[in-house]
């Protein structure tokens, strides 16, 4: 879901439906974006447009690229900004106001800002490789503090919160659970206990996670990932080979959305694309394409979602708290985890 290369992919450029004079609509996304090609082709046909999907790495990288290019926007519309990164986008004045009429079918709790159109949500959560723990007869940790114990040394892989939205979400969850100072102490403990830091979700899950050939049986992922493991299995297993590890204070509700980019071209088509993402067809496709939940009410989920789970949130950060503290928290995390800083020097 999270790649680090930046490229432009003309979608179905040779489509029989594309007009020779079709307008171009530039859509920048994180590398997790995926929808049925038939749905995208239908949007192109109905709107006489050629989509250019610009995949700009993990969500944190994507926002950074948009900030660097804000004087000459690289796209007209963005998908993949979430509630952990929205404050950065707003502070940088990246987004133009637009609220889709389709939001009338979306619960108010997902409506965060007049320039932000929620499209999906998910639960960032720890996942485990069940076979590793069974083979090694190792009990599962029960608290965040347990991850600092010697028996879990070199078992955890996380994403860098400076470049990855799930990595940032996990950091925010620990800050809310443990307090700022307590979280820094926890992360220093993880550092000393051999935590592995990956640039983004894809590298963490598909390279470092032991389920996929790596050496780390605990990974920061999503609560829907165990369902995806079953969905994509060639021979459907009776149960998922992975499971959620809902340690208290380890999960985070992530809300992803789409928005107009200030200074972008083809504003009317960009609005139609946002409306399209909130259509029943797209909302129905999202759960088994990107493995997140649709924000629209009444969408039936694939049966494999029974292997997903929903954590219990007892503490949550408000958007205002995230906006006020995010930059400092990420900077201090970098000092502690990557630069081995002493906590007293923060």
């Amino acid at each position: 879901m999270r790649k680090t290369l930046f490229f432009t992919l003309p979608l179905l450029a040779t489509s029989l439906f594309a007009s020779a004079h079709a307008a171009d609509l530039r859509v920048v996304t994180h590398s997790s974006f995926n929808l049925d090609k038939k749905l995208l082709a239908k949007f192109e046909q109905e709107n006489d447009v050629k989509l250019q999907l610009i995949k700009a790495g993990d969500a944190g990288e994507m926002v950074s690229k948009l900030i660097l290019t804000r004087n000459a926007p690289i796209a007209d519309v963005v998908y993949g900004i979430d509630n952990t990164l929205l404050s950065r986008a707003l502070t940088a004045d990246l987004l133009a106001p637009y609220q889709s009429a389709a939001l009338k079918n979306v619960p108010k709790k997902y409506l965060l800002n007049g320039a932000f159109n929620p499209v999906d949500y998910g639960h960032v959560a720890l996942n485990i490789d069940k076979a590793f723990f069974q083979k090694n007869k190792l009990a599962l940790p029960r608290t965040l503090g347990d991850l600092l114990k010697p028996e879990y040394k070199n078992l955890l892989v996380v994403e860098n919160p400076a470049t990855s939205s799930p990595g940032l979400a996990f950091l925010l969850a620990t800050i809310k659970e443990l307090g700022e100072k307590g979280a820094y102490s926890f992360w220093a403990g993880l550092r000393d206990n051999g935590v592995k830091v990956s640039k983004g979700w894809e590298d963490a899950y598909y390279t470092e996670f032991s389920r996929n050939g790596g050496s780390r049986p605990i990974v920061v992922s999503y609560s829907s990932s165990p369902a995806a493991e079953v969905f994509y299995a060639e021979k459907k297993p009776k149960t998922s080979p992975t499971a959620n590890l809902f340690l208290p204070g380890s999960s985070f509700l992530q809300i992803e959305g789409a928005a107009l980019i200030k200074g972008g071209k083809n504003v009317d088509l960009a609005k139609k694309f946002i409306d399209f993402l909130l259509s029943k067809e797209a909302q129905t496709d999202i759960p088994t394409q990107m493995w997140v939940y649709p924000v629209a009410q009444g969408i039936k989920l694939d049966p494999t979602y029974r292997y997903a789970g929903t954590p219990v949130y007892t503490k949550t950060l408000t958007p205002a708290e995230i906006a006020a503290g995010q930059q400092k928290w990420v900077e201090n995390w970098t000092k502690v985890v990557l630069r081995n800083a002493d906590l007293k020097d923060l």
Side-chain angles (χ1 to χ4, degrees), residues 169-185:
F170 184 56
L171 170 61
L172 296 178
T174 63
I175 287 174
K176 188 59 179 178
E177 176 68 15
L178 304 171
E180 189 173 345
K181 290 184 179 179
Y184 296 150
S185 178

Side-chain angles (χ1 to χ4, degrees), residues 191-338:
R191 174 199 66 201
D192 296 341
N193 212 33
V195 67
K196 175 79 175 180
V197 178
S198 290
K199 189 174 184 179
W201 178 88
E202 185 169 89
D203 181 58
Y205 197 86
Y206 288 120
T207 301
E208 302 297 340
F209 189 33
S210 58
R211 165 65 185 163
N212 295 306
S215 62
R216 306 282 168 147
I218 310 175
V219 61
V220 173
S221 190
Y222 292 86
S223 70
S224 54
S225 297
E229 290 283 348
V230 175
F231 183 86
Y232 291 116
E234 290 185 11
K235 295 182 179 179
K236 300 302 180 187
K238 293 182 180 180
T239 186
S240 178
T242 67
N244 288 302
L245 183 64
F246 290 142
L247 304 180
S250 66
S251 302
F252 188 90
L253 175 63
Q254 182 184 56
I255 305 167
E256 290 186 309
L260 302 179
I261 295 177
K262 185 170 286 188
K265 305 173 184 177
N266 294 324
V267 174
D268 289 340
L269 285 172
K271 291 179 179 179
K272 288 182 178 180
F273 186 76
I274 293 174
D275 296 343
F276 159 72
L277 290 176
L278 286 162
S279 68
K280 184 176 181 179
E281 287 180 309
Q283 289 283 292
T284 300
D285 194 45
I286 282 171
T288 53
Q289 293 286 350
M290 295 188 279
W291 293 95
V292 285
Y293 295 86
V295 293
Q297 300 180 94
I299 302 297
K300 186 176 180 180
L301 297 174
D302 186 86
T304 54
Y305 263 78
R306 68 182 180 273
Y307 298 105
T310 301
V312 175
Y313 295 104
T314 56
K315 303 176 183 179
T316 56
L317 286 170
T318 66
E321 288 175 320
I322 294 173
Q326 178 181 327
Q327 182 175 347
K328 179 181 69 171
W329 296 334
V330 172
E331 288 175 353
N332 283 339
W333 179 94
T334 301
K335 291 175 184 177
V336 170
V337 178
L338 302 184

Side-chain angles (χ1 to χ4, degrees), residues 98-171:
Y98 175 65
Q99 290 275 273
S100 173
L103 292 177
K104 66 180 182 292
N105 191 37
V106 173
K108 290 184 179 180
K109 64 181 178 180
Y110 301 127
L111 306 180
L112 305 179
N113 179 271
F116 179 82
N117 294 264
V119 172
D120 58 72
Y121 70 93
H123 305 285
V124 174
L126 293 170
N127 284 188
I128 60 159
D129 175 7
K130 291 159 67 173
F132 178 94
F133 285 89
Q134 292 166 358
K135 179 181 178 181
N136 291 279
K137 298 181 180 180
L138 181 61
L140 294 176
R142 294 188 176 185
T143 67
L144 286 171
D146 283 350
L147 294 174
L148 308 183
K149 293 180 178 179
E151 54 262 44
Y152 303 111
K153 187 177 181 65
N154 299 327
L155 299 189
L156 173 65
V157 57
V158 304
E159 299 86 3
N160 190 326
T163 54
S164 165
S165 58
L168 177 57
F170 184 56
L171 170 61

Side-chain angles (χ1 to χ4, degrees), residues 23-38:
D24 288 332
L25 180 64
R26 301 170 301 165
V27 182
V28 65
T29 76
H30 56 51
S31 55
S32 300
F33 177 77
N34 194 39
L35 283 178
D36 190 319
K37 288 182 173 60
K38 293 179 180 178

